[in-house]
Amino acid sequence: MTSSPDHSPFTSAPSGDGPRTGVVLSHGFTGSPHGLRAWAQAFAAAGFAVRMPLLPGHGTNWQELARTRWQQWHGALDDAYLELEAECDHVFAAGLSMGGALALRVAATRPVAGVVLVNPALVIDDPRAPLAGILKLVLKSTPAIANDILKEGMDEGAYARTPVAAAHEMNKMFRDTIRLLPRITAPVQVYKSTVDHVVSDASIAVLRRRLASVPVDVVRLDNSYHVATMDHDAERIFEGSVQFIRRVLAAGAAPAAGSQELHHEQA
């Protein structure tokens, strides 16, 4: 019998020798920490401090998500970053899907040492997306985008419906985040599934174009769908992202100290 999804946040303290290193980690749209818990545990096992919050409107019901704004999602992850900054020498940002966009926002507004993304979303491919601000007045929700996982028997515990109002908020956040991307100076590692039924390569194209001045390493995953952190390539992601962080640290990552948030435009 499949156990119930664990939507609770994840927190760990730094351990081991060397510089105190933190990872702020974000789940995706309509999901929860459940889908990334094994990844967070892998970071903790490597000795890194981890903060993975439950984003506002998530882990309860889609109606609550429909009442939230994208600034609340960013604020939750930014607060988690500040917690790590207070106790760590270096902080990395990581995320899945929409959580990848939020990790990029943190990297654009805080001095992160590096960024790790899994199937990051910056573009909503649905042609109805530009009309979401109007559609939300007459259409409250659409079918779920959850559980795009090749591995059998896996359940990310996401909502059964997608609130249109929240999708509109996400689209606004994507536009504002794309504007900020050139401010990122840290190296970026991306894990991208060859087959992804939720996020197309259009998001990767935007990422490459807007991050032309920083190294972007894209690793293709041939045996996973969108929620790759729960799929066949999960261990490859976990091991590879830990190695990426250690390589960046060995190369001399700048310390996360004295950061100031850059103001974003209200969308």
Side-chain angles (χ1 to χ4, degrees), residues 84-106:
L84 287 174
E85 184 187 56
E87 64 179 280
C88 295
D89 301 307
H90 308 280
V91 180
F92 290 74
L96 165 71
S97 194
M98 182 192 78
L102 290 172
L104 288 166
R105 285 194 69 82
V106 171

mmCIF file of all heavy atoms in Angstrom, residues 84-106:
data_model
loop_
_atom_site.group_PDB
_atom_site.id
_atom_site.type_symbol
_atom_site.label_atom_id
_atom_site.label_comp_id
_atom_site.label_asym_id
_atom_site.label_seq_id
_atom_site.Cartn_x
_atom_site.Cartn_y
_atom_site.Cartn_z
ATOM 1 N N LEU A 84 19.676 30.069 5.826
ATOM 2 C CA LEU A 84 20.923 29.375 5.518
ATOM 3 C C LEU A 84 22.103 30.340 5.499
ATOM 4 O O LEU A 84 23.195 30.010 5.965
ATOM 5 C CB LEU A 84 20.812 28.676 4.165
ATOM 6 C CG LEU A 84 19.944 27.425 4.126
ATOM 7 C CD1 LEU A 84 19.804 26.934 2.695
ATOM 8 C CD2 LEU A 84 20.525 26.322 5.009
ATOM 9 N N GLU A 85 21.889 31.523 4.958
ATOM 10 C CA GLU A 85 22.965 32.506 4.874
ATOM 11 C C GLU A 85 23.510 32.834 6.266
ATOM 12 O O GLU A 85 24.711 33.085 6.430
ATOM 13 C CB GLU A 85 22.460 33.774 4.192
ATOM 14 C CG GLU A 85 23.549 34.814 3.970
ATOM 15 C CD GLU A 85 22.995 36.124 3.448
ATOM 16 O OE1 GLU A 85 22.100 36.685 4.115
ATOM 17 O OE2 GLU A 85 23.440 36.565 2.382
ATOM 18 N N ALA A 86 22.639 32.804 7.268
ATOM 19 C CA ALA A 86 23.046 33.150 8.626
ATOM 20 C C ALA A 86 23.938 32.084 9.255
ATOM 21 O O ALA A 86 24.670 32.373 10.214
ATOM 22 C CB ALA A 86 21.812 33.373 9.502
ATOM 23 N N GLU A 87 23.896 30.856 8.735
ATOM 24 C CA GLU A 87 24.666 29.783 9.358
ATOM 25 C C GLU A 87 25.681 29.123 8.432
ATOM 26 O O GLU A 87 26.437 28.255 8.876
ATOM 27 C CB GLU A 87 23.721 28.704 9.902
ATOM 28 C CG GLU A 87 22.907 27.978 8.858
ATOM 29 C CD GLU A 87 22.010 26.896 9.467
ATOM 30 O OE1 GLU A 87 22.533 25.801 9.755
ATOM 31 O OE2 GLU A 87 20.814 27.161 9.653
ATOM 32 N N CYS A 88 25.736 29.539 7.161
ATOM 33 C CA CYS A 88 26.600 28.875 6.200
ATOM 34 C C CYS A 88 27.587 29.842 5.548
ATOM 35 O O CYS A 88 27.351 31.053 5.486
ATOM 36 C CB CYS A 88 25.776 28.204 5.105
ATOM 37 S SG CYS A 88 24.738 26.845 5.697
ATOM 38 N N ASP A 89 28.682 29.279 5.050
ATOM 39 C CA ASP A 89 29.667 30.064 4.313
ATOM 40 C C ASP A 89 29.275 30.221 2.848
ATOM 41 O O ASP A 89 29.607 31.226 2.213
ATOM 42 C CB ASP A 89 31.037 29.381 4.385
ATOM 43 C CG ASP A 89 31.522 29.207 5.813
ATOM 44 O OD1 ASP A 89 31.555 30.215 6.542
ATOM 45 O OD2 ASP A 89 31.859 28.067 6.198
ATOM 46 N N HIS A 90 28.595 29.223 2.314
ATOM 47 C CA HIS A 90 28.163 29.237 0.920
ATOM 48 C C HIS A 90 26.750 28.671 0.847
ATOM 49 O O HIS A 90 26.420 27.717 1.552
ATOM 50 C CB HIS A 90 29.082 28.386 0.039
ATOM 51 C CG HIS A 90 30.532 28.714 0.174
ATOM 52 N ND1 HIS A 90 31.126 29.778 -0.453
ATOM 53 C CD2 HIS A 90 31.515 28.112 0.892
ATOM 54 C CE1 HIS A 90 32.407 29.823 -0.150
ATOM 55 N NE2 HIS A 90 32.676 28.829 0.672
ATOM 56 N N VAL A 91 25.918 29.231 -0.026
ATOM 57 C CA VAL A 91 24.551 28.751 -0.199
ATOM 58 C C VAL A 91 24.287 28.535 -1.688
ATOM 59 O O VAL A 91 24.563 29.416 -2.513
ATOM 60 C CB VAL A 91 23.509 29.728 0.375
ATOM 61 C CG1 VAL A 91 22.102 29.176 0.177
ATOM 62 C CG2 VAL A 91 23.774 29.994 1.852
ATOM 63 N N PHE A 92 23.732 27.379 -2.018
ATOM 64 C CA PHE A 92 23.332 27.036 -3.371
ATOM 65 C C PHE A 92 21.803 27.035 -3.444
ATOM 66 O O PHE A 92 21.126 26.791 -2.443
ATOM 67 C CB PHE A 92 23.863 25.659 -3.772
ATOM 68 C CG PHE A 92 25.360 25.619 -3.969
ATOM 69 C CD1 PHE A 92 26.214 25.655 -2.878
ATOM 70 C CD2 PHE A 92 25.893 25.543 -5.244
ATOM 71 C CE1 PHE A 92 27.594 25.625 -3.049
ATOM 72 C CE2 PHE A 92 27.273 25.513 -5.435
ATOM 73 C CZ PHE A 92 28.125 25.557 -4.330
ATOM 74 N N ALA A 93 21.265 27.301 -4.632
ATOM 75 C CA ALA A 93 19.816 27.271 -4.851
ATOM 76 C C ALA A 93 19.484 26.138 -5.807
ATOM 77 O O ALA A 93 20.199 25.928 -6.796
ATOM 78 C CB ALA A 93 19.329 28.599 -5.414
ATOM 79 N N ALA A 94 18.401 25.423 -5.523
ATOM 80 C CA ALA A 94 18.018 24.293 -6.363
ATOM 81 C C ALA A 94 16.505 24.196 -6.434
ATOM 82 O O ALA A 94 15.792 24.676 -5.544
ATOM 83 C CB ALA A 94 18.604 22.984 -5.812
ATOM 84 N N GLY A 95 15.999 23.571 -7.499
ATOM 85 C CA GLY A 95 14.556 23.441 -7.601
ATOM 86 C C GLY A 95 14.119 22.608 -8.784
ATOM 87 O O GLY A 95 14.884 22.377 -9.726
ATOM 88 N N LEU A 96 12.881 22.165 -8.715
ATOM 89 C CA LEU A 96 12.229 21.375 -9.767
ATOM 90 C C LEU A 96 11.120 22.191 -10.406
ATOM 91 O O LEU A 96 10.307 22.796 -9.701
ATOM 92 C CB LEU A 96 11.647 20.088 -9.168
ATOM 93 C CG LEU A 96 10.646 19.306 -10.020
ATOM 94 C CD1 LEU A 96 11.346 18.627 -11.196
ATOM 95 C CD2 LEU A 96 9.901 18.266 -9.173
ATOM 96 N N SER A 97 11.083 22.238 -11.725
ATOM 97 C CA SER A 97 9.987 22.849 -12.474
ATOM 98 C C SER A 97 9.812 24.322 -12.089
ATOM 99 O O SER A 97 10.741 25.105 -12.202
ATOM 100 C CB SER A 97 8.709 22.033 -12.258
ATOM 101 O OG SER A 97 7.720 22.382 -13.188
ATOM 102 N N MET A 98 8.632 24.726 -11.618
ATOM 103 C CA MET A 98 8.459 26.101 -11.165
ATOM 104 C C MET A 98 9.438 26.427 -10.043
ATOM 105 O O MET A 98 9.906 27.564 -9.907
ATOM 106 C CB MET A 98 7.032 26.356 -10.676
ATOM 107 C CG MET A 98 6.793 27.804 -10.225
ATOM 108 S SD MET A 98 5.243 28.071 -9.337
ATOM 109 C CE MET A 98 5.668 27.445 -7.703
ATOM 110 N N GLY A 99 9.782 25.423 -9.241
ATOM 111 C CA GLY A 99 10.777 25.618 -8.200
ATOM 112 C C GLY A 99 12.130 25.999 -8.775
ATOM 113 O O GLY A 99 12.915 26.687 -8.130
ATOM 114 N N GLY A 100 12.384 25.569 -10.011
ATOM 115 C CA GLY A 100 13.599 25.985 -10.685
ATOM 116 C C GLY A 100 13.589 27.470 -10.987
ATOM 117 O O GLY A 100 14.607 28.159 -10.841
ATOM 118 N N ALA A 101 12.433 27.991 -11.411
ATOM 119 C CA ALA A 101 12.311 29.431 -11.652
ATOM 120 C C ALA A 101 12.504 30.207 -10.353
ATOM 121 O O ALA A 101 13.165 31.259 -10.332
ATOM 122 C CB ALA A 101 10.954 29.753 -12.272
ATOM 123 N N LEU A 102 11.957 29.700 -9.261
ATOM 124 C CA LEU A 102 12.126 30.372 -7.972
ATOM 125 C C LEU A 102 13.593 30.337 -7.529
ATOM 126 O O LEU A 102 14.109 31.313 -6.979
ATOM 127 C CB LEU A 102 11.240 29.711 -6.918
ATOM 128 C CG LEU A 102 9.735 29.937 -7.090
ATOM 129 C CD1 LEU A 102 8.961 29.067 -6.108
ATOM 130 C CD2 LEU A 102 9.373 31.405 -6.894
ATOM 131 N N ALA A 103 14.271 29.221 -7.772
ATOM 132 C CA ALA A 103 15.699 29.131 -7.447
ATOM 133 C C ALA A 103 16.495 30.145 -8.264
ATOM 134 O O ALA A 103 17.427 30.781 -7.757
ATOM 135 C CB ALA A 103 16.207 27.712 -7.706
ATOM 136 N N LEU A 104 16.125 30.324 -9.522
ATOM 137 C CA LEU A 104 16.788 31.314 -10.370
ATOM 138 C C LEU A 104 16.531 32.729 -9.875
ATOM 139 O O LEU A 104 17.414 33.590 -9.932
ATOM 140 C CB LEU A 104 16.324 31.157 -11.820
ATOM 141 C CG LEU A 104 16.842 29.922 -12.547
ATOM 142 C CD1 LEU A 104 16.056 29.681 -13.832
ATOM 143 C CD2 LEU A 104 18.331 30.051 -12.862
ATOM 144 N N ARG A 105 15.320 32.998 -9.373
ATOM 145 C CA ARG A 105 15.026 34.316 -8.802
ATOM 146 C C ARG A 105 15.939 34.588 -7.607
ATOM 147 O O ARG A 105 16.461 35.693 -7.447
ATOM 148 C CB ARG A 105 13.566 34.404 -8.332
ATOM 149 C CG ARG A 105 12.546 34.556 -9.419
ATOM 150 C CD ARG A 105 11.200 34.976 -8.827
ATOM 151 N NE ARG A 105 11.277 36.328 -8.311
ATOM 152 C CZ ARG A 105 11.149 37.437 -9.051
ATOM 153 N NH1 ARG A 105 10.935 37.345 -10.350
ATOM 154 N NH2 ARG A 105 11.227 38.639 -8.486
ATOM 155 N N VAL A 106 16.108 33.590 -6.742
ATOM 156 C CA VAL A 106 16.997 33.755 -5.596
ATOM 157 C C VAL A 106 18.424 34.009 -6.073
ATOM 158 O O VAL A 106 19.132 34.875 -5.544
ATOM 159 C CB VAL A 106 16.929 32.516 -4.677
ATOM 160 C CG1 VAL A 106 18.007 32.583 -3.605
ATOM 161 C CG2 VAL A 106 15.555 32.415 -4.017
#
